Amino acid sequence: MSVRRTLAWAGIAAAALAAAGASSAEDLAAAKEKARACFACHGEGGISRAPETPSLAGQPDNFIQWQLVYFRSQTRKVEVMNAIASALSDADIRGLGAYLSSLPPPQPPGEPDDRPELTRAGAELARRNHCASCHTERFVGQGAIARLANQQERYLLKALRDFKSGVRRGGGVAAMPDAVYPLGDDDLRALAHYLARFR
Amino acid sequence: MSIRSKARSVAVAGISAAAAFGAAALIAAGAAQAAELHHYDSSKRSFWEHPPADWFLGDETEAQKGLNVPAAPATGIPAEQIEKTLKQIKLPKGFKISLWVAGVPSARQMAWGNKGTLFVGAFGVGNVYAITGPEGKKEVKVILKGLKMPTGIAFRDGALYVADIDRILKYDDAEDNLDHMPAPKVVYDDMPSFPAHGWKYLVFDKHGWLYVAFGPPCNECLPPTSVSQIRRVDPENGLAEIVALGVRNSVGGDVDPRTGDYWFTENARDWLGDDIPSDKLNHISRMGEHFGYPYCHQGNIPDPKYAMGHKCSEFTPPVLKLGAHVAPLGMKFYTGKQFPAAYKDNIFIAEHGSWNRHQYQGARIVRVIVDPRGRHAKQEVFASGWIKGKQDYLGRPADIVEAPDGSLLVADDWASAIYRISYGK
């Protein structure tokens, strides 16, 4: 993964669509149709309005695909998503990854920060724990690593707690359980607050 | 030297003086560098017990910042696309590569049963597969699920052995129970629990010793004395002995059919640059010899921080420098009859390819011609063409086995497939 690739959102979206060589224009149209059912929970255009449901828009293609594979194999256990993913084929998953990753990502919340001290604490924790070394400097994610910037705050907190408690292990070398191992619940709250408001 | 001790907690005490020195050097060097660059105090026990999540980074330079492990496609690569890629793979004259089977997610080490089943281990997905059926109609079955990076597997006397990070499991009568695998026996568990460089391949010699590598939970550090080594384990009684010291991350080896000696590939430290240090092919000629890590790399580069007064001449040099960031994994001595006679006893090495080199290299199969004592070694590229542009892949070879007919099978954990390389018609 080159540094350059993490710079501009536009670059990523273009790359995602170009890389979608895996899925033809037809597959993409089919994925667009399929994704409408997802938006009932994940929000119109993949931008969530529900605190514990994540936005999907602008997540890296391969991250979306891996999560759907984990839901399908029940390696990641969340009942609604296990049921939905069990009906998806490999081709569906490739199409959904390409389509959802091409949507414009969520924006920082408009209202002023109600807890600036928490934001500062989160920024410091993210720095000390090298979160950006995987999630990238702008927290837009890359490859199978999630975008965190401007995700729903309560969802981020839930995800971090799930890694902490071992409910969720994640892929690759199980990096996330190790990342949250030294952190307390207050730290997780600060990180979620900071990342949800990231500018 | 036997290490039957159940010392799961790592032995840090013995190296504390040396470690303190290392830490001081680390701090001094760290201060001189940009503040955002990573810095670890790996001298503390807490580091071994819970390596930081980004343990594989550590001493990156500014130019290397942001290089990260590429994630394979989640659903593998569809068979039609793999067929297209294979048309572009370069091989010596007379050799041919074809798709043997697709849809083996994250395929890594392979091992034959004795009734024609090919067993395959896998990385993050936690599966072990059995591949059965006639040529052209191979069927892939998930026979084990939910294991911890079971990349390494081996087969002997009807039993399947699986490396589950901190345990080696034995499944008796595996081939007769593919649809309902028996409960495993733990045959060895004096192993660290962290996943950091904890995934490993398993190799039996003909006496029944199982060779197992123990990687350090870091890129470059002074490891506790219980890792950075290769042990051989007797699964009958759980006894083990150290056969090689000073080994970084070794994921692959084989026993020389000419001598019974163990040879292994080794991945060198990261972040010294795109072109150094070289990954290695090693040969153990004397029990317990030291291959240099963390003090010396590729036989002639003292580590900038961790050489700590050692000279490279104290350590066993590699048989061959394979190249920087080529990531050699599984290897096999060729014993078949299908390939031309010159290939007999040559070594084939599956190179997985770079993750943190600006222009990827590796992702190919290399042929090594070498005498039984490790002299007169020559290497040449045997199969290549899986790198796409600067930093992308069409496939990544992870292991090699010989098929009964003398062709080679190659596992690819990027395309989630197995290929066959044959000679002649």
Side-chain angles (χ1 to χ4, degrees):
Chain A
M1 300 292 133
S2 79
V3 194
R4 266 158 293 125
R5 223 193 272 181
T6 66
L7 285 181
W9 162 249
I12 294 175
L17 281 174
S23 39
S24 65
E26 260 164 68
D27 292 344
L28 216 57
K32 198 168 167 179
E33 191 53 38
K34 261 216 158 69
R36 285 182 25 193
C38 317
F39 295 164
C41 294
H42 288 281
E44 212 40 59
I47 308 279
S48 171
R49 309 261 169 253
E52 291 211 345
T53 306
S55 291
L56 300 177
Q59 279 291 2
D61 180 355
N62 210 15
F63 170 73
I64 294 170
Q65 290 196 43
W66 272 109
Q67 297 310 311
L68 291 173
V69 165
Y70 293 142
F71 284 132
R72 191 171 63 177
S73 67
Q74 312 215 354
T75 308
R76 182 172 172 189
K77 290 194 182 69
V78 179
E79 263 175 47
V80 276
M81 282 309 303
N82 293 143
I84 288 166
S86 69
L88 298 175
S89 68
D90 282 358
D92 292 338
I93 289 177
R94 290 181 193 125
L96 285 164
Y99 173 64
L100 294 168
S101 65
S102 74
L103 298 174
Q107 294 301 305
E111 68 274 17
D113 188 353
D114 53 343
R115 311 218 21 213
E117 77 295 349
L118 204 57
T119 307
R120 276 194 300 277
E124 177 55 20
L125 283 162
R127 197 189 60 75
R128 260 195 282 133
N129 290 282
H130 307 308
C131 307
S133 70
C134 294
H135 290 278
T136 78
E137 295 296 326
R138 304 284 309 153
F139 297 105
V140 297
Q142 56 177 336
I145 302 170
R147 176 190 176 89
L148 304 175
N150 312 132
Q151 182 57 278
Q152 286 287 347
E153 180 170 342
R154 291 246 310 266
Y155 172 74
L156 287 172
L157 183 57
K158 173 180 189 288
L160 290 169
R161 285 174 171 164
D162 283 353
F163 285 123
K164 178 89 193 177
S165 69
V167 167
R168 186 172 163 193
R169 230 174 94 85
V173 296
M176 280 310 300
D178 285 341
V180 293
Y181 174 79
L183 305 175
D185 203 60
D186 286 348
D187 298 336
L188 303 187
R189 271 184 242 259
L191 282 162
H193 188 74
Y194 163 69
L195 293 164
R197 315 197 58 83
F198 186 79
R199 282 175 190 275
Chain B
M1 138 182 46
S2 164
I3 44 166
R4 183 71 184 119
S5 76
K6 284 282 146 190
R8 183 178 290 263
S9 57
V10 289
V12 189
I15 56 159
S16 59
F21 176 88
L26 196 81
I27 289 161
Q33 286 181 3
E36 312 85 67
L37 291 182
H38 294 183
H39 151 98
Y40 295 107
D41 181 0
S42 53
S43 63
K44 290 209 174 70
R45 183 186 178 122
S46 58
F47 185 96
W48 310 119
E49 289 176 347
H50 276 276
D54 54 351
W55 55 269
F56 51 87
L57 299 174
D59 296 305
E60 49 179 15
T61 62
E62 194 60 47
Q64 291 161 328
K65 216 161 170 240
L67 294 175
N68 226 311
V69 183
T75 49
I77 296 182
E80 319 81 72
Q81 276 184 52
I82 294 177
E83 307 266 15
K84 268 195 222 144
T85 298
L86 294 185
K87 290 205 180 81
Q88 307 167 24
I89 299 303
K90 285 203 205 70
L91 284 158
K93 233 186 157 101
F95 289 90
K96 195 171 80 183
I97 186 164
S98 58
L99 179 59
W100 195 68
V101 68
V104 196
S106 308
R108 284 230 163 174
Q109 196 179 16
M110 301 176 282
W112 287 105
N114 41 25
K115 298 176 186 168
T117 305
L118 184 72
F119 293 95
V120 188
F123 200 55
V125 289
N127 296 337
V128 176
Y129 310 96
I131 303 180
T132 55
E135 292 299 317
K137 288 204 187 120
K138 291 289 173 192
E139 192 197 332
V140 181
K141 247 189 215 138
V142 178
I143 56 167
L144 299 171
K145 271 189 188 178
L147 294 173
K148 303 186 291 285
M149 300 180 195
T151 54
I153 59 165
F155 190 92
R156 189 178 164 88
D157 295 339
L160 177 71
Y161 295 80
V162 179
D164 185 39
I165 296 290
D166 55 357
R167 311 179 298 170
I168 297 175
L169 304 174
K170 178 186 186 190
Y171 297 84
D172 281 312
D173 300 319
E175 225 171 346
D176 295 327
N177 292 288
L178 297 181
D179 291 316
H180 189 77
M181 289 288 278
K185 283 196 213 86
V186 177
V187 296
Y188 190 69
D189 69 353
D190 186 11
M191 303 162 88
S193 61
F194 40 76
H197 286 160
W199 54 89
K200 46 187 117 279
Y201 283 11
L202 298 177
V203 177
F204 270 114
D205 71 8
K206 63 176 190 296
H207 307 292
W209 285 109
L210 192 56
Y211 287 75
V212 187
F214 291 75
C218 57
N219 163 39
E220 174 71 14
C221 57
L222 268 178
T225 54
S226 53
V227 296
S228 292
Q229 61 190 237
I230 295 176
R231 302 178 197 169
R232 61 182 192 189
V233 171
D234 183 344
E236 295 299 310
N237 56 19
L239 293 175
E241 56 187 356
I242 295 175
V243 295
L245 291 166
V247 177
R248 190 174 172 275
N249 187 30
S250 172
V251 184
D254 195 17
V255 174
D256 189 338
R258 298 169 292 189
T259 59
D261 290 355
Y262 186 70
W263 296 56
F264 62 97
T265 59
E266 184 186 354
N267 288 264
R269 69 155 292 178
D270 289 310
W271 312 119
L272 284 187
D274 276 359
D275 298 314
I276 53 162
S278 176
D279 292 333
K280 303 195 280 183
L281 172 66
N282 296 313
H283 167 216
I284 302 176
S285 55
R286 191 167 41 77
M287 283 291 276
E289 64 191 311
H290 197 298
F291 288 84
Y293 180 85
Y295 315 108
C296 171
H297 311 291
Q298 68 166 50
N300 60 3
I301 300 181
D303 190 82
K305 268 183 216 161
Y306 287 95
M308 301 167 54
H310 289 280
K311 293 201 183 62
C312 282
S313 57
E314 296 167 39
F315 309 110
T316 305
V319 168
L320 259 186
K321 293 183 214 162
L322 297 169
H325 305 285
V326 298
L329 301 184
M331 56 170 272
K332 278 285 173 307
F333 283 90
Y334 186 74
T335 60
K337 300 235 155 56
Q338 185 184 95
F339 291 6
Y343 283 81
K344 187 163 182 321
D345 299 327
N346 289 179
I347 303 170
F348 287 103
I349 300 175
E351 293 183 353
H352 198 226
S354 320
W355 65 270
N356 56 2
R357 189 175 193 274
H358 289 92
Q359 168 67 60
Y360 283 180
Q361 65 182 4
R364 64 191 175 191
I365 295 164
V366 166
R367 171 192 181 193
V368 174
I369 303 157
V370 59
D371 82 8
R373 293 172 62 186
R375 294 169 314 188
H376 312 300
K378 274 196 319 195
Q379 59 178 322
E380 61 188 45
V381 176
F382 180 70
S384 62
W386 281 284
I387 292 176
K388 183 175 158 193
K390 278 174 92 76
Q391 294 183 347
D392 202 359
Y393 288 112
L394 298 165
R396 300 185 79 181
D399 194 30
I400 295 173
V401 287
E402 200 178 297
D405 69 355
S407 56
L408 293 183
L409 298 184
V410 178
D412 179 332
D413 65 354
W414 185 270
S416 292
I418 293 170
Y419 314 127
R420 173 172 184 264
I421 299 180
S422 57
Y423 182 76
K425 282 168 280 302

